[in-house]
Amino acid sequence: MEHLLAFFTIFTHPQLLLLVGLGTFAGVYVGAIPGLSVTMAVSILISFTFSWDVYPALALMVGIYMGGVYGGSRTAILLNIPGAPSAIATAMDGYPMAQRGEAGTAIGVTTTMSFFGGFIGILVLALAAPSVSAFALKFQPRDYMLLAVLGILLVGSLSQGSLTKGIFAGALGIAIGAVGRDPLTFAERFTFNMPLMESGISFIAVMIGMFGVSEALLQLHHVGQPAIKQKISRIVPSWSTIRKHLPLSLQTSTIGVIIGALPGTGGDIAALMAYDHAKRVTKKPTRPFGQGAIEGLVAPETANNAAVGGAFIPMMTLGIPGDAVTAIMIGALYIHGLNPGPMLMVEQPNMFWFIVGALVMANFFMLIFGLTGIRLFTKIVAMPRPVLIPLIMLLSIVGAYAVNNSITDVYWMLGFGIFGYLMRHYGYPLGPVILGVILSRLLDDNWRRAIISDRGDLGLFFRGIFTSPLSTVLFLAVVLIFVSQTPIWRWLKARILGQGKRSVEQ
Amino acid sequence: MSQHLETDHHDGTSDATPGGYEDQKRPGETAFAVIMLLASLGLLWNAYGIAGFTSLSSPGAIPMATTFVMVVAAAIVLVHTIRLPKATGETFVKDILPGTVLLFVVFLVCYGVLLEPLGFILTSALFLVAAIKVLWRRSWAVTLGVAAFSLLLIWLVFRIVFTVLMPEGVVPEAEIIQTFRNLFTGGAS
Amino acid sequence: MKSILVSAVAALALSTVAVSAKDYPSKEIQGVIQWGAGGSTDTVMRSVTPHAEKTLGGTVVMQNMTGGVGAIALNFVTGKPADGYTLLMGAENPLLYKVMGLGRKDYSDFTPIDILARGTAILVARPGLPFDDYKGMIAYIKAHPGELRIGATGPGGLPSVVTAMMNNVEGKLNVISVPYDGDGPALTALQGGAIDVMPAVLGAAIESIKAGKMKPLAIFEKQPNHLLPKVPTITSFNEAYAKYLPWGPFFGVFVKKGTPSDVVAKLSAAYKAGAETADFNKLMDGRGYTVMNISGKAAQDFLTKWQSNTTWLLQDAGLTKTSPAKFGIAKPGK
């Protein structure tokens, strides 16, 4: 009963309600601008809300978080520039839809699906947080490593053109992620003895360069063409559309919650994995993937918003951050005199229920702000390209600088922008590069931890894999997905089923 | 609309359908593939230098594995590319790096060089005015107005709201902000 | 265009004529935090600075600048003028850069404004291990050589210093050292059973200890800590540790050497007042940190002693790249 009251705190205090709304609104725009990140916004809010009570401060942060994760999809759809890493997959089918003049539909689907995913995430947080966090803790270094390998296999579905070029791009991404001083041993890697290389290459800088600047350079080819007229009459998707994608969105939401709850992985990986999952299970997409398939929007958007609820699970139950944003929120709780940890749920269950309530509210606000104001957003995008292109470039520069207040990151961003432009021209996919950078540390660090833990003995390592059910499942998944992407599988399937040729071809 | 989609196909506007052609090579594609192979080889050599073949768990293990994959993939791509026929009717200057793009690459490089000495505000102002003037060909008044307005907006969001301290360069930004702050607080505190 | 440049340069020249404490701060101050958002240095700095601002009568804009184990931020601040408008908000790591081969600069290029607080090291283990204290752990390591997995956070981190102490006192311990990129992820791994024992800072482990998610083996102090009075001190197991204690990571605010002394005094007074507030003390106490709040000569002496003790400890354990003697770091006096 008391918990129920705590849950409803947010609804009965207009001031808190207002703050959540304000936060969500700001979050949508923070998320939409590449280079302004939720992490940044929340850490600034720590100083800003220093003298406030803890509830209003959290209300604002929760709102920004929820809105920000969603906001990244806006620019991904309208400009082909993901506003945040978790929207990379969204651009792949969202932008082709916008090119057909269907940006309104795309944004509508994205919003409702983000709402749905967010809701599933919150539901799991509210009902099953302790058991999910116990499950997340079970992941050993070798499991994280297998998860990273599983992620790297996504290269196959992210590179529509030449698979070899995709593999090259993915490997390049992993190498980029390794640049700088190794965080485990401080050994210098790929630094060429230059001090400016020591801090490594910020993956946000790579992302902004490859998607922002290279897109802007590409747009210069069409600078004279008028912007595409967008139909924004029918934004809210029909009930039948939603019902049709319900099974898929449930699956991808689950992926989102689990990946979000794992410490060390977040919405970006969740969204890419969900996209891959959708490609695998959808037999008949509305359109081929990569050309504006609705399923290509449903999957990443449900997953990245479900990951929000997921990220709160280890934070609230154990005091362990689920991602970068929850890490800062833990710091905020400390500053406000609370002690986040395993005892927080026991000693102050009200705090838990308040956050659940705030998340629910933020989710509703996201739906409202997502479905309104689209006209204004499309107007911004429809501004003359001669103005839009320089602005995108400038925003990319400021954004790259803002990540770590580093000029070096600006240089990297520009470099990767020009490089990405050439890669696009010659048919090298960019998605795998980002995927590689995101997964590089996860793979490298955990591979080394796993091997070191088993004293460098590969026999012990494999025995470990087959004695843990979790590792076995992950290992089998890796093997299955790998085999299914190689020609052996098609050959086998063709032999066994006799007619499988067409259905395997995606 | 459909015509628009077709023109976009070869330069990879959507990342899911990258540019390039399946069965033809574009101008400069072979050179690009050669550079990629050479760079991969260089990185592999560098990765070997991190820890050599000391152990499976050395900091150089994954870099070596991944650069090895790069070398193999780049080599396959190169061999494949060399075999392809040239794309007809395309030239490097016209389709890959036209004058406008090259000019903007130069702009961006200049921006990078000038950012520290001149500071964010001046460099960005120069960039915006030059870029918009070149692309838009409107009067100076319109160009300057649009550039100033958008720069002000970006500056307000990043510098004031998000307190991102871009390089000041020669503009005494902090002093100006302090002057405004004093104005609003009446010089108190 | 030229005229704009000229006038801008003139304005700059006017604005930086003289730095004196009378009108300091005449513009906002940049505070560069050596570590990422949400980390312990970040939390400490973001909680003390708003209080210090009140005394100072100015604004401190804080930024996180990560990378190179904090060296990126340190080098950034040394590249700025010594006028008190750029503060370095850092932890203990720079004092080890030279011997670890991570950089050529350390706090000897800076003037301490205030050493705010010091942490306490504690040795924790996952539940389910067959020992409950430090003595049991040593016996277990001797009986099962090469089996116990101890978490580490890279050369020069707190775990490496604690491990060096143990190796110097007990003789080389045969354990597996599993590297993590911070004590947070390592303690998470400990709860999941990926590692067995972890030397950590008390503040990071205290809540999980209270909840019974990990068991404390020994605290690296001479006196028990009032937050965990039942946890035995390391000296109660082996007196030989006494010569290394008290030891702990610390947080401090610094300015570049050469900053006018009246500016330093003004900043010191501001941070001193900030660290005296009840809010800050409650926060530090709750996380198991000891508030130090020292400045001037006391802070300088503390830094010198810390560096000498720790670098030579690491040197004796064979963990350094270059001997501290090379940099004129004196061997700790007997």
Side-chain angles (χ1 to χ4, degrees):
Chain A
M1 192 61 224
E2 196 196 336
H3 298 166
L4 211 62
L5 272 177
F7 174 70
F8 282 113
T9 320
I10 193 91
F11 305 98
T12 50
H13 292 71
Q15 180 220 2
L16 292 178
L17 210 58
L18 190 76
L19 282 171
V20 176
L22 202 71
T24 316
F25 184 76
V28 173
Y29 288 84
V30 165
I33 300 174
L36 278 187
S37 68
V38 180
T39 324
M40 256 170 75
V42 174
S43 63
I44 284 159
L45 280 183
I46 288 195
S47 315
F48 184 66
T49 59
F50 181 75
S51 51
W52 298 14
D53 278 339
V54 63
Y55 278 3
L58 280 176
L60 199 58
M61 289 181 193
V62 165
I64 292 221
Y65 189 14
M66 205 53 152
V69 168
Y70 160 76
S73 66
R74 276 295 165 86
T75 30
I77 293 170
L78 292 170
L79 292 171
N80 199 19
I81 299 170
S86 56
I88 289 172
T90 314
M92 291 201 266
D93 281 284
Y95 187 63
M97 282 184 79
Q99 280 187 306
R100 292 170 191 267
E102 298 168 354
T105 320
I107 292 177
V109 169
T110 304
T111 313
T112 32
M113 285 306 155
S114 293
F115 174 76
F116 182 82
F119 188 67
I120 299 282
I122 299 166
L123 206 67
V124 175
L125 170 70
L127 300 180
S131 44
V132 173
S133 68
F135 173 69
L137 269 188
K138 282 210 178 77
F139 277 68
Q140 302 290 306
R142 65 166 172 272
D143 302 318
Y144 276 110
M145 190 216 61
L146 288 168
L147 198 67
V149 175
L150 207 57
I152 284 162
L153 291 177
L154 305 187
V155 165
S157 61
L158 292 184
S159 32
Q160 214 107 7
S162 146
L163 183 62
T164 326
K165 285 177 178 172
I167 291 171
F168 174 80
L172 174 68
I174 298 175
I176 293 171
V179 172
R181 269 195 196 278
D182 162 38
L184 304 186
T185 60
F186 300 161
E188 290 184 46
R189 307 197 285 188
F190 302 126
T191 56
F192 304 96
N193 287 324
M194 287 190 278
L196 78 122
M197 304 279 285
E198 266 186 34
S199 58
I201 303 175
S202 146
F203 107 84
I204 304 279
V206 180
M207 186 197 84
I208 295 176
M210 289 215 152
F211 287 98
V213 168
S214 86
E215 177 68 31
L217 287 173
L218 214 53
Q219 293 278 342
L220 286 171
H221 286 263
H222 319 289
V223 79
Q225 287 171 18
I228 299 156
K229 261 243 163 317
Q230 298 292 353
K231 294 178 284 222
I232 33 176
S233 46
R234 200 174 159 74
I235 291 164
V236 184
S238 68
W239 178 239
S240 67
T241 314
I242 295 176
R243 212 172 47 194
K244 186 182 156 202
H245 297 117
L246 200 62
L248 175 67
S249 47
L250 270 174
Q251 292 160 21
T252 48
S253 299
T254 314
I255 294 177
V257 178
I258 293 174
I259 302 282
L262 288 176
T265 55
D268 41 7
I269 298 177
L272 287 166
M273 285 203 159
Y275 184 80
D276 175 69
H277 178 78
K279 255 183 117 168
R280 240 174 257 293
V281 299
T282 314
K283 292 269 152 44
K284 281 190 214 133
T286 45
R287 279 193 204 116
F289 277 97
Q291 295 175 29
I294 301 270
E295 290 82 357
L297 288 175
V298 171
E301 284 303 316
T302 42
N304 64 25
N305 279 81
V308 173
F312 275 100
I313 291 176
M315 169 188 162
M316 295 312 295
T317 52
L318 299 168
I320 294 168
D323 65 356
V325 181
T326 39
I328 298 169
M329 285 200 194
I330 289 179
L333 288 182
Y334 275 126
I335 289 180
H336 285 283
L338 290 156
N339 289 319
M343 299 306 282
L344 188 70
M345 278 276 270
V346 183
E347 286 166 0
Q348 283 171 309
N350 287 352
M351 179 56 66
F352 176 78
W353 289 105
F354 169 76
I355 287 193
V356 173
L359 278 166
V360 169
M361 222 39 246
N363 207 28
F364 274 105
F365 276 120
M366 181 189 81
L367 186 68
I368 297 166
F369 295 137
L371 293 178
T372 55
I374 296 181
R375 225 167 270 273
L376 176 76
F377 233 101
T378 35
K379 275 262 166 55
I380 296 175
V381 175
M383 77 163 92
R385 288 197 204 191
V387 181
L388 188 62
I389 293 171
L391 278 184
I392 290 175
M393 289 177 176
L394 191 59
L395 273 177
S396 301
I397 290 169
V398 192
Y401 181 86
V403 177
N404 199 22
N405 301 300
S406 149
I407 298 253
T408 322
D409 281 348
V410 176
Y411 299 152
W412 281 122
M413 191 279 297
L414 293 174
F416 278 107
I418 296 163
F419 182 60
Y421 170 81
L422 289 173
M423 281 179 73
R424 288 191 197 216
H425 270 300
Y426 296 132
Y428 293 79
L430 301 180
V433 180
I434 307 293
L435 184 77
V437 186
I438 295 176
L439 293 173
S440 182
R441 291 274 312 275
L442 194 68
L443 174 74
D444 188 12
D445 294 4
N446 286 299
W447 159 256
R448 278 144 68 191
R449 270 175 214 141
I451 291 293
I452 289 173
S453 302
D454 290 326
R455 282 172 271 168
D457 186 338
L458 274 183
L460 267 180
F461 175 72
F462 278 104
R463 216 175 68 197
I465 286 183
F466 290 114
T467 46
S468 146
L470 179 64
S471 309
T472 315
V473 168
L474 284 169
F475 184 73
L476 288 179
V478 167
V479 171
L480 272 178
I481 290 181
F482 182 74
V483 171
S484 74
Q485 281 182 347
T486 45
I488 312 165
W489 177 251
R490 280 178 208 173
W491 182 79
L492 268 180
K493 204 161 176 183
R495 282 306 282 276
I496 296 162
L497 298 174
Q499 42 85 327
K501 234 179 179 174
R502 235 177 322 129
S503 64
V504 190
E505 216 63 63
Q506 284 183 343
Chain B
M1 209 68 72
S2 65
Q3 173 234 343
H4 183 81
L5 279 176
E6 265 163 34
T7 55
D8 268 350
H9 173 68
H10 63 83
D11 51 17
T13 302
S14 165
D15 187 55
T17 46
Y21 304 112
E22 293 263 325
D23 44 6
Q24 283 178 321
K25 64 180 163 202
R26 309 194 67 196
E29 192 164 344
T30 316
F32 190 75
V34 170
I35 295 171
M36 288 303 105
L37 180 59
L38 291 178
S40 306
L41 282 167
L43 287 178
L44 177 61
W45 176 246
N46 196 277
Y48 174 75
I50 297 171
F53 283 103
T54 45
S55 78
L56 278 173
S57 60
S58 79
I62 295 279
M64 252 163 78
T66 179
T67 46
F68 179 73
V69 172
M70 279 172 71
V71 169
V72 173
I76 296 175
V77 170
L78 178 62
V79 170
H80 185 73
T81 313
I82 290 175
R83 284 204 201 128
L84 291 177
K86 281 206 170 90
T88 43
E90 282 196 345
T91 61
F92 188 77
V93 179
K94 186 167 76 68
D95 297 281
I96 309 292
L97 214 57
T100 338
V101 177
L102 195 64
L103 182 70
F104 268 78
V105 170
V106 172
F107 276 173
L108 289 177
V109 171
C110 288
Y111 191 104
V113 173
L114 292 178
L115 181 56
E116 278 227 275
L118 273 193
F120 170 71
I121 295 188
L122 270 186
T123 321
S124 305
L126 287 176
F127 170 75
L128 277 183
V129 170
I132 295 175
K133 185 73 189 165
V134 165
L135 291 179
W136 217 10
R137 306 195 183 286
R138 292 288 191 92
S139 72
W140 278 107
V142 176
T143 307
L144 285 173
V146 170
F149 177 73
S150 26
L151 182 58
L152 182 72
L153 212 63
I154 291 180
W155 186 80
L156 282 176
V157 169
F158 278 85
R159 179 64 177 81
I160 303 298
V161 182
F162 281 87
T163 61
V164 175
L165 301 175
M166 299 290 294
E168 276 197 340
V170 295
V171 182
E173 241 179 83
E175 278 83 356
I176 297 170
I177 293 173
Q178 193 62 44
T179 317
F180 273 102
R181 205 171 271 150
N182 290 345
L183 268 179
F184 283 118
T185 55
S189 74
Chain C
M1 203 52 24
K2 211 170 189 175
S3 65
I4 295 179
L5 254 177
V6 169
S7 59
V9 170
L12 178 78
L14 277 175
S15 67
T16 54
V17 174
V19 184
S20 80
K22 226 190 247 159
D23 45 79
Y24 177 87
S26 65
K27 59 175 182 181
E28 46 182 36
I29 299 160
Q30 185 180 4
V32 181
I33 302 173
Q34 243 187 2
W35 295 97
S40 47
T41 313
D42 184 64
T43 313
V44 168
M45 294 309 167
R46 286 189 195 270
S47 59
V48 72
T49 303
H51 293 298
E53 278 177 336
K54 278 183 208 141
T55 317
L56 197 61
T59 321
V60 181
V61 180
M62 281 173 286
Q63 291 172 292
N64 301 92
M65 206 176 271
T66 58
V69 210
I72 303 295
L74 186 110
N75 292 337
F76 175 82
V77 179
T78 48
K80 290 277 178 173
D83 55 5
Y85 285 104
T86 318
L87 310 180
L88 177 68
M89 304 177 154
E92 75 285 357
N93 317 64
L95 291 179
L96 303 176
Y97 287 168
K98 285 179 176 168
V99 293
M100 288 301 181
L102 294 171
R104 261 163 267 128
K105 292 193 176 110
D106 63 11
Y107 286 143
S108 58
D109 301 282
F110 287 82
T111 309
I113 293 297
D114 199 309
I115 307 287
L116 295 161
R118 175 178 73 82
T120 294
I122 188 169
L123 204 57
V124 290
R126 68 178 168 89
L129 282 172
F131 51 80
D132 291 308
D133 60 11
Y134 173 79
K135 208 167 107 200
M137 182 191 80
I138 297 292
Y140 183 88
I141 295 172
K142 299 246 157 88
H144 305 265
E147 278 186 26
L148 195 78
R149 291 162 303 172
I150 293 192
T153 58
L158 176 142
S160 75
V161 176
V162 170
T163 313
M165 283 186 200
M166 296 200 299
N167 281 333
N168 285 357
V169 170
E170 304 282 349
K172 184 98 183 90
L173 299 171
N174 188 355
V175 292
I176 305 174
S177 170
V178 187
Y180 281 84
D181 51 349
D183 56 359
L187 288 171
T188 305
L190 182 96
Q191 294 180 53
I195 54 174
D196 301 312
V197 172
M198 175 74 195
V201 63
L202 178 61
I206 191 157
E207 287 303 311
S208 303
I209 294 173
K210 282 186 189 158
K213 301 267 177 190
M214 42 183 87
K215 50 187 178 190
L217 302 177
I219 193 156
F220 278 70
E221 289 281 1
K222 290 181 196 161
Q223 265 86 43
N225 188 291
H226 72 278
L227 292 172
L228 296 168
K230 283 194 199 125
V231 178
T233 63
I234 189 73
T235 44
S236 71
F237 294 109
N238 195 331
E239 266 302 320
Y241 280 103
K243 67 176 173 200
Y244 298 122
L245 301 175
W247 184 88
F250 61 86
F251 309 106
V253 180
F254 301 84
V255 286
K256 192 180 167 183
K257 208 164 210 152
T259 304
S261 56
D262 42 0
V263 170
V264 171
K266 208 160 182 179
L267 278 168
S268 286
Y271 271 93
K272 194 168 196 72
E276 275 165 4
T277 53
D279 271 4
F280 182 72
N281 279 281
K282 186 168 161 257
L283 171 75
M284 288 292 100
D285 191 58
R287 294 198 71 183
Y289 290 108
T290 316
V291 174
M292 298 182 67
N293 201 8
I294 50 172
S295 55
K297 186 161 184 314
Q300 199 62 62
D301 290 347
F302 172 81
L303 292 175
T304 312
K305 186 157 172 259
W306 197 99
Q307 188 174 38
S308 140
N309 279 339
T310 316
T311 51
W312 281 101
L313 170 64
L314 292 171
Q315 169 74 12
D316 291 345
L319 290 172
T320 52
K321 277 231 170 80
T322 321
S323 162
K326 269 249 170 65
F327 306 105
I329 300 169
K331 219 169 176 157
K334 293 279 140 64

